[in-house]
Amino acid sequence: EGKADTVVLATEPLRGLNAFIAQQFSTIYGARLLAFEPLDQGALWKAARDVFGEDTIPYFDIEKANYVLSFGANFLEPWLSQVSYSRAYGEFRQGERREQRGHLVQFEPRMSMTGANADEWVTIKPGSEGVLAMSMAYVIIAEGLANRAVVDIMTARGGANALAAFRPEEASKLTGVPAERIQGFARAFAKEKQALAIGGAGAAAHTNGSFNLTAVFALNFLVGNINRPGGVIANPTASTPEFSARVTAAPYREWERLARRFLDPSLRPVGMLLINNTNPLYGLPLEARFGDGLKNVPMIVSFSNMMDETTVMADLILPSGSYLESWGDDIPEPGIGYETVSYQQPVVRPLYLTRSFADVMLASASGLGGQLKTALPWENQQAALKAAADKVFKLNRGSVRGPSFPAWWNGVLQRGGWWDFTPTGRKEIRVAAPTLPRQVVSANFAGSDKEFPFHLTIFASTGVGDGRGAHLPWLQMTPDPTTTVAWQSWIEVNPKTATRLGLKSNDIVTVTAPSNRKLEAIVYVYPAIPEDMVAMPAGQGHTFMGRYAQKRGANPLAILASQVDSDTGALAWGATRVRIEKTGRTVRLPKLEGSVPAVQPPDYEVIEITDLRKAGGS
């Protein structure tokens, strides 16, 4: 009917062949393609592009680093690749070929699992990570600890004077970190071989998220660790267009605009919404009014195999099969510093008459014909995967070789993938050092500090993540590593705050946001959080999604204010203030530690012993 532009394809973030098929289909057909993830990483992607000049997130070589400054990057819990970074952290600590045990400093307001495992956990004011990083840059430059040519580029020949706004004495007021400690961290970072600065998650969750991460990443140029072991290493894209394709999450502002198209009759309407394995009705704040708008969409098609909050609104459900029944591929994100493609093959026959998302797109392209069929000529995903893999075979390099494609293909399936860690499969960051910002960019928060005295911080649950794993009982029963809570959500409150408000662990409180939206949560008295902050895990509070997910805990994403990163429009999910009020009700949290409370150990003095013989002891 000439209304292809009224079709919207909403999907989870995609990589490789699935991304290529979705991009080709939506571009040629004329549909709008949007990807969604609840804990928006838009600031991370922008900072990586601006600082390193790459459209991929680089590989942070924690394994070979000796000294790591982490600004809100909770890499031992769900952030980017928990498995990869946990393995690297083990090598960083006590790898057999290491000359010294790596030293980790974690800067964040609330102690995460990474903070609990750090040598030094430094609590800072929310949203001040960029100021702290820039203050360290000031010290490094002012004390002549960086290459002069690099400093001239990064300060436009202004030297330390160009960064006067970030002097440690001024930065201390904004971050809460004493000036002498800022100086100490900067000196240790600049003098230590193979030092690395990383940032993400909490640092990106504010209205100045891009500023924070840009400042953090820029520290790596000052110590010359770009393209070096223990530093920042570029991740090459795949050598074929099918495997190099990516569909990254659209910023929150784009989803707000889509919701307005649903609701405003003066705008171009949405005639059909295709939903692929994503749940924006659960993950978007209620302020976006996405759920209200869905009622006005005449045709909604879902490819989910779970009856989640968005799928339950669909007119037609074409459930995809389990990954155990499907062909597929993936490109690691973040990568591991060299070209890698992983291949997935079914291990069981399909139990039901299901099709993968890619198979439905290919069948639709065939039925529509014309340019779509020319661009996507394959009968199914397996055929498309083989055609793309044949291009990799013809490169004649990498971990698998073979006299013919069938022999090579069998070798790839046996190994689960193909990779090339030779110089041919690697890529160097060739961008010049970035110019450092000269002015402080402060974080803004929704709600006044008098009416809403607590910063609300949200973190991905170790078990159910951001909510996508809530339907799986074995993930629900995975205990949180710091509180040991399972099967439930909770709200962390500082002991002094709890005493002042007359609260104790297991009390139920009402949490109210500036929009007057509320939820109820169970108190966990947690000493490793500031008095003016409360924290909740994401992932619970589903109204649909099966019996293991429904009516369990609360969804803090729903009450967030529509605050965004000023540079990208990504959701600032750490920028909402709340107040908490006692309900008078109590329920026992399910946790492995039982009734043993978390306590703050007494203060102690750290004494540096330089000569054990003079000290007279061990």
Side-chain angles (χ1 to χ4, degrees):
E1 297 178 350
K3 298 178 182 178
D5 63 326
T6 69
V7 175
V8 175
L9 171 54
T11 179
E12 64 180 336
L14 300 174
R15 300 188 290 264
L17 187 60
N18 276 355
F20 177 82
I21 292 172
Q23 288 173 336
Q24 290 289 307
F25 186 93
S26 58
T27 300
I28 297 172
Y29 181 75
R32 179 77 187 282
L33 177 62
L34 287 175
F36 175 74
E37 61 181 346
L39 300 179
D40 202 329
Q41 299 292 330
L44 175 66
W45 281 90
K46 183 179 188 303
R49 283 193 298 269
D50 290 350
V51 176
F52 303 117
E54 300 290 331
D55 200 26
T56 60
I57 297 173
Y59 176 53
F60 299 112
D61 193 7
I62 295 173
E63 176 180 341
K64 296 184 177 64
N66 291 327
Y67 191 86
V68 174
L69 299 179
S70 172
F71 297 77
N74 185 14
F75 56 84
L76 296 182
E77 290 187 81
W79 180 71
L80 297 182
S81 179
Q82 183 178 356
V83 172
S84 174
Y85 285 132
S86 294
R87 187 205 60 79
Y89 179 75
E91 295 294 330
F92 168 79
R93 283 304 205 187
Q94 55 187 22
E96 293 181 0
R97 290 175 290 181
R98 294 191 59 83
E99 296 180 358
Q100 67 183 71
R101 175 183 169 90
H103 187 93
L104 171 65
V105 184
Q106 182 79 1
F107 302 102
E108 59 191 2
R110 166 202 173 265
M111 179 184 281
S112 64
M113 182 63 175
T114 308
N117 282 275
D119 296 277
E120 299 177 77
W121 171 65
V122 184
T123 182
I124 63 173
K125 294 180 181 180
S128 67
E129 292 86 353
V131 173
L132 181 60
M134 288 304 304
S135 187
M136 292 182 192
Y138 171 89
V139 174
I140 291 171
I141 293 171
E143 297 186 2
L145 301 176
N147 181 284
R148 182 59 183 270
V150 173
V151 170
D152 286 345
I153 294 173
M154 299 183 75
T155 63
R157 297 185 179 275
N161 290 334
L163 308 181
F166 302 101
R167 289 191 300 268
E169 297 76 16
E170 298 301 319
S172 179
K173 301 172 187 176
L174 300 174
T175 64
V177 181
E180 58 272 16
R181 294 205 76 189
I182 296 175
Q183 293 167 338
F185 290 130
R187 292 164 185 157
F189 181 70
K191 294 178 180 179
E192 181 64 67
K193 292 182 179 179
Q194 295 172 227
L196 174 65
I198 63 176
H206 296 280
T207 58
N208 63 345
S210 293
F211 164 77
N212 289 338
L213 295 185
T214 297
V216 170
F217 292 158
L219 286 174
N220 294 290
F221 286 87
L222 288 175
V223 297
N225 71 351
I226 306 300
N227 296 320
R228 293 185 178 181
V232 181
I233 299 172
N235 274 315
T237 55
S239 298
T240 63
E242 292 87 352
F243 292 134
S244 63
R246 278 180 173 82
V247 180
T248 55
Y252 174 71
R253 282 292 185 236
E254 292 296 320
W255 290 95
E256 274 193 325
R257 294 188 187 103
L258 180 60
R260 283 200 294 272
R261 281 184 66 185
F262 294 162
L263 293 163
D264 190 345
S266 67
L267 300 175
R268 182 68 165 163
V270 174
M272 177 181 283
L273 177 65
L274 307 175
I275 302 285
N276 171 45
N277 203 29
T278 192
N279 191 6
L281 189 54
Y282 168 83
L284 286 170
L286 292 174
E287 281 195 4
R289 298 190 63 197
F290 191 83
D292 296 336
L294 276 183
K295 300 172 185 176
N296 297 332
V297 180
M299 185 66 176
I300 301 174
V301 181
S302 174
F303 300 98
S304 174
N305 57 18
M306 286 302 303
M307 189 66 80
D308 57 38
E309 287 81 354
T310 307
T311 299
V312 82
M313 299 286 289
D315 301 283
L316 176 65
I317 302 175
L318 302 174
S320 57
S322 163
Y323 67 93
L324 297 172
E325 304 168 333
S326 308
W327 289 91
D329 66 286
D330 195 21
I331 312 299
E333 188 60 70
I336 49 179
Y338 49 85
E339 192 174 345
T340 306
V341 182
S342 61
Y343 296 92
Q344 168 190 316
Q345 57 183 313
V347 295
V348 295
R349 293 182 182 276
L351 184 60
Y352 302 107
L353 296 177
T354 57
R355 282 188 177 187
S356 69
F357 166 72
D359 280 348
V360 174
M361 291 292 99
L362 292 174
S364 300
S366 177
L368 289 165
Q371 284 184 287
L372 273 172
K373 188 171 183 178
T374 301
L376 301 172
W378 308 290
E379 179 183 359
N380 52 39
Q381 189 172 9
Q382 180 183 3
L385 189 62
K386 280 191 171 183
D390 185 56
K391 297 180 181 180
V392 178
F393 161 70
K394 290 176 180 176
L395 296 174
N396 194 32
R397 58 180 173 85
S399 57
V400 181
R401 304 287 182 93
S404 64
F405 176 75
W408 179 89
W409 180 243
N410 286 336
V412 164
L413 293 183
Q414 288 171 359
R415 293 162 178 80
W418 171 94
W419 51 91
D420 185 0
F421 48 76
T422 67
T424 308
R426 295 180 181 270
K427 180 181 181 181
E428 289 192 354
I429 296 174
R430 298 185 180 277
V431 67
T435 302
L436 293 171
R438 299 192 175 198
Q439 299 298 324
V440 173
V441 179
S442 299
N444 298 317
F445 298 90
S448 68
D449 55 357
K450 291 184 179 180
E451 188 177 0
F452 301 95
F454 301 105
H455 295 281
L456 173 63
T457 186
I458 297 174
F459 56 95
S461 163
T462 300
V464 301
D466 58 16
R468 282 175 275 189
H471 62 293
L472 298 172
W474 65 275
L475 289 180
Q476 284 281 6
M477 68 189 293
T478 301
D480 177 74
T482 53
T483 66
T484 76
V485 175
W487 289 101
Q488 186 56 273
S489 59
W490 64 95
I491 185 166
E492 296 171 358
V493 180
N494 181 275
K496 293 182 180 179
T497 302
T499 299
R500 188 174 71 250
L501 298 178
L503 297 172
K504 60 184 184 301
S505 288
N506 296 321
D507 283 349
I508 299 175
V509 294
T510 300
V511 184
T512 306
S515 63
N516 205 35
R517 291 184 168 89
K518 304 178 180 181
L519 58 80
E520 289 189 347
I522 307 169
V523 170
Y524 182 91
V525 177
Y526 187 55
I529 191 170
E531 294 179 52
D532 63 347
M533 175 177 283
V534 292
M536 289 189 68
Q540 301 286 12
H542 285 273
T543 53
F544 290 92
M545 207 174 179
R547 64 189 177 119
Y548 298 113
Q550 286 175 216
K551 301 177 182 179
R552 186 179 302 283
N555 177 17
L557 298 169
I559 67 171
L560 290 180
S562 293
Q563 296 282 90
V564 298
D565 171 49
S566 57
D567 287 343
T568 64
L571 179 65
W573 33 276
T576 302
R577 290 181 178 271
V578 296
R579 66 172 178 264
I580 58 176
E581 298 164 298
K582 192 173 182 178
T583 65
R585 292 180 286 122
T586 300
V587 65
R588 187 173 180 179
L589 272 172
K591 51 190 174 71
L592 291 188
E593 71 181 6
S595 60
V596 179
V599 297
Q600 175 68 44
D603 292 337
Y604 58 92
E605 183 180 1
V606 178
I607 302 174
E608 183 177 352
I609 300 177
T610 56
D611 192 325
L612 288 176
R613 288 172 297 180
K614 290 181 180 179
S618 60

